[in-house]
């Protein structure tokens, strides 16, 4: 079975500082990996996804993530955080032949002035 | 944005009453899902559908049933609501889950309060 761990429940970052949100997954074969963002009162929006190929993937809003098989990780990064990035971020894992995604419990990002 | 409409968006009901949430899509996607979101638990899958009249259980399916009689509609029913089912419910759709383009598109959620 697949599982996803997001070790940080909350993270506070100063505006303009860099950001890294951690995601670790458990799955035997090559996973499909996703990062979603949820603004308050909204549904989830896809930021980026990894299926195969280049392990560094670019997403919307200036986000990127790197797949590291040796560490079973798919960490989300942004070089300079804006106040509008304050939201909850979810990592998810799927796989070829699976009909569902498994989500982590989320990391709430707070941006301080 | 994907054409997903959830109704109702907000509902308050009493313990023991039946509740049905509706998800309607205009994308003609094959897969439809119901998740619930609770603080500290993230999103947990309740049920999903991989075609008309084809459904399967997720990790938190007890107390819930679903139906899909048309491609565009996926109904989630709480036969007898309990306070533990107070939550925000999200519908999601996917065209090709499990293949190389598989991703989920989410509705805006339905907030259910059971008193």
């Amino acid at each position: 079975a697949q599982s996803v761990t997001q070790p940080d429940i909350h993270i506070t970052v100063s505006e303009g500082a860099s950001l890294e949100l951690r995601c670790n997954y458990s799955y035997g074969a090559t996973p499909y990996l996703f990062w979603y963002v949820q603004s308050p009162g909204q549904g989830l929006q896809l930021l980026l996804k990894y299926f195969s190929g280049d392990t560094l993937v670019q997403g919307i809003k200036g986000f990127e993530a790197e797949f590291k098989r040796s560490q079973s990780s798919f960490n989300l990064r942004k070089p300079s955080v804006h106040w509008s990035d304050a939201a909850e971020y979810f990592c998810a894992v799927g796989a070829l032949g699976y009909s569902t995604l498994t989500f982590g419990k989320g990391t709430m990002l707070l941006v301080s002035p | 944005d994907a054409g997903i409409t959830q109704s109702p968006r907000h509902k308050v009901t009493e313990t023991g009453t039946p509740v049905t949430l509706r998800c309607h899509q205009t994308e003609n996607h094959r897969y439809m899902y119901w998740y619930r979101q609770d603080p500290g638990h993230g999103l947990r899958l309740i049920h999903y559908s991989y075609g008309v009249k084809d459904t399967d259980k997720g990790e938190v399916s007890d107390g819930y049933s679903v139906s899909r009689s048309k491609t565009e509609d996926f109904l989630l029913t709480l036969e007898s609501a309990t306070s533990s089912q107070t939550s925000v419910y999200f519908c999601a759709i996917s065209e090709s889950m499990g293949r190389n383009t598989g991703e989920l598109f989410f509705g805006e959620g339905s907030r259910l309060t059971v008193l």
Side-chain angles (χ1 to χ4, degrees):
Chain A
Q2 307 155 340
S3 67
V4 178
T5 301
Q6 295 181 245
D8 303 304
I9 298 174
H10 296 98
I11 282 186
T12 300
V13 174
S14 298
E15 190 168 15
S18 64
L19 169 70
E20 183 169 29
L21 301 182
R22 295 183 291 164
C23 172
N24 294 98
Y25 68 90
S26 174
Y27 180 63
T30 299
Y32 297 159
L33 295 159
F34 305 81
W35 275 100
Y36 285 84
V37 61
Q38 184 183 33
S39 298
Q42 302 295 314
L44 280 73
Q45 179 185 20
L46 181 69
L47 280 177
L48 47 77
K49 60 187 177 184
Y50 170 81
F51 290 113
S52 64
D54 193 346
T55 57
L56 184 64
V57 294
Q58 302 297 320
I60 63 171
K61 305 184 180 186
F63 286 91
E64 66 178 26
E66 186 171 12
F67 170 57
K68 293 185 177 180
R69 183 188 301 275
S70 62
Q71 298 177 19
S72 297
S73 69
F74 188 58
N75 294 348
L76 182 71
R77 302 194 293 248
K78 187 170 185 179
S80 177
V81 169
H82 187 263
W83 63 266
S84 60
D85 294 323
E88 191 160 22
Y89 292 79
F90 292 92
C91 182
V93 63
L96 182 67
Y98 278 75
S99 297
T100 64
L101 294 187
T102 299
F103 285 82
K105 295 184 178 182
T107 298
M108 182 67 72
L109 173 64
L110 305 174
V111 180
S112 60
Chain B
D1 291 342
I4 308 169
T5 305
Q6 292 185 228
S7 59
R9 293 290 313 281
H10 301 272
K11 185 171 182 67
V12 179
T13 191
E14 294 188 349
T15 298
T17 60
V19 176
T20 295
L21 305 180
R22 180 180 182 240
C23 179
H24 178 77
Q25 61 145 329
T26 58
E27 306 295 321
N28 200 36
H29 283 359
R30 176 183 176 188
Y31 297 90
M32 299 186 75
Y33 305 80
W34 279 107
Y35 285 87
R36 60 177 290 175
Q37 184 178 24
D38 304 287
H41 292 277
L43 283 99
R44 293 179 292 174
L45 181 65
I46 306 171
H47 283 278
Y48 69 100
S49 170
Y50 47 96
V52 173
K53 298 187 178 179
D54 292 322
T55 65
D56 205 350
K57 296 179 179 180
E59 62 180 299
V60 290
S61 59
D62 287 348
Y64 301 95
S65 62
V66 290
S67 66
R68 192 171 179 198
S69 58
K70 299 183 292 184
T71 298
E72 57 266 35
D73 289 326
F74 193 34
L75 303 181
L76 176 70
T77 297
L78 292 66
E79 299 290 347
S80 178
T82 67
S83 58
S84 65
Q85 294 175 312
T86 292
S87 186
V88 180
Y89 292 86
F90 285 97
C91 175
I93 64 174
S94 177
E95 183 177 21
S96 57
M97 181 56 62
R99 306 209 302 268
N100 62 0
T101 59
E103 64 188 76
L104 292 178
F105 300 94
F106 283 84
E108 295 192 344
S110 295
R111 182 175 294 276
L112 175 67
T113 303
V114 184
L115 302 176

